Amino acid sequence: AELLYASARTVKGEIDHLSAHRWYLMQAGNTGAAGRAWLRDRWSEESDAAWRIDITMAGSYDKDEASRDFLLKVAEDERSDPLEILHAANLLVHQGPAAILAPRLKRVALRMSDARARPALNCLLWQWYGDA
């Protein structure tokens, strides 16, 4: 994971029609639970929101408590970009359980002021949880 992450930060251009950064992070996400845990720690260090989205994707391949906690951190973090929040919420609804996620994501949606992302997040919540 460390080697792939280092490549993601240095290699420019595209690989298989994806940004090199996203491609390398996709591969790093396949390095096992320890690799994904290491990647999740990198999210807090990254200043570029687009790169954090790639880290979010790679760090959430598991459907376990560590992945869920990480995605909730992304969704609830003050520095998260509205699209990061929407991406994390989309990954979360596929993981469940609804009893834990629906109330927390609803609070995230109520705090969001972005004119495009808030309606999208509300739509996502309605699609998955109805009037939860």
Side-chain angles (χ1 to χ4, degrees):
E2 291 179 41
L3 177 65
L4 291 164
Y5 187 77
S7 295
R9 297 194 54 80
T10 58
V11 175
K12 305 296 180 214
E14 291 186 351
I15 301 171
D16 290 336
H17 306 291
L18 296 170
S19 72
H21 187 267
R22 179 161 296 159
W23 189 89
Y24 278 107
L25 264 290
M26 287 172 67
Q27 309 319 309
N30 288 318
T31 60
R36 285 185 290 279
W38 186 87
L39 290 170
R40 290 190 288 267
D41 289 340
R42 305 290 71 77
W43 185 88
S44 297
E45 301 168 359
E46 183 55 60
S47 60
D48 184 296
W51 284 21
R52 285 195 311 262
I53 287 175
D54 293 343
I55 295 169
T56 300
M57 172 263 312
S60 66
Y61 285 1
D62 297 313
K63 292 188 177 190
D64 61 8
E65 189 174 351
S67 179
R68 188 172 42 255
D69 289 346
F70 168 63
L71 291 170
L72 283 166
K73 173 186 171 183
V74 172
E76 296 171 341
D77 196 288
E78 295 278 328
R79 76 182 189 128
S80 290
D81 175 274
L83 294 178
E84 278 183 276
I85 295 168
L86 188 58
H87 179 64
N90 184 54
L91 293 169
L92 278 164
V93 298
H94 288 85
Q95 289 197 10
I100 293 171
L101 298 178
R104 289 183 69 176
L105 290 174
K106 189 172 184 178
R107 285 192 298 275
V108 168
L110 291 171
R111 283 194 320 266
M112 185 181 281
S113 61
D114 187 86
R116 292 185 300 170
R118 183 174 182 175
L121 181 53
N122 283 327
C123 183
L124 177 76
L125 295 177
W126 272 101
Q127 177 184 359
W128 280 88
Y129 304 127
D131 60 352

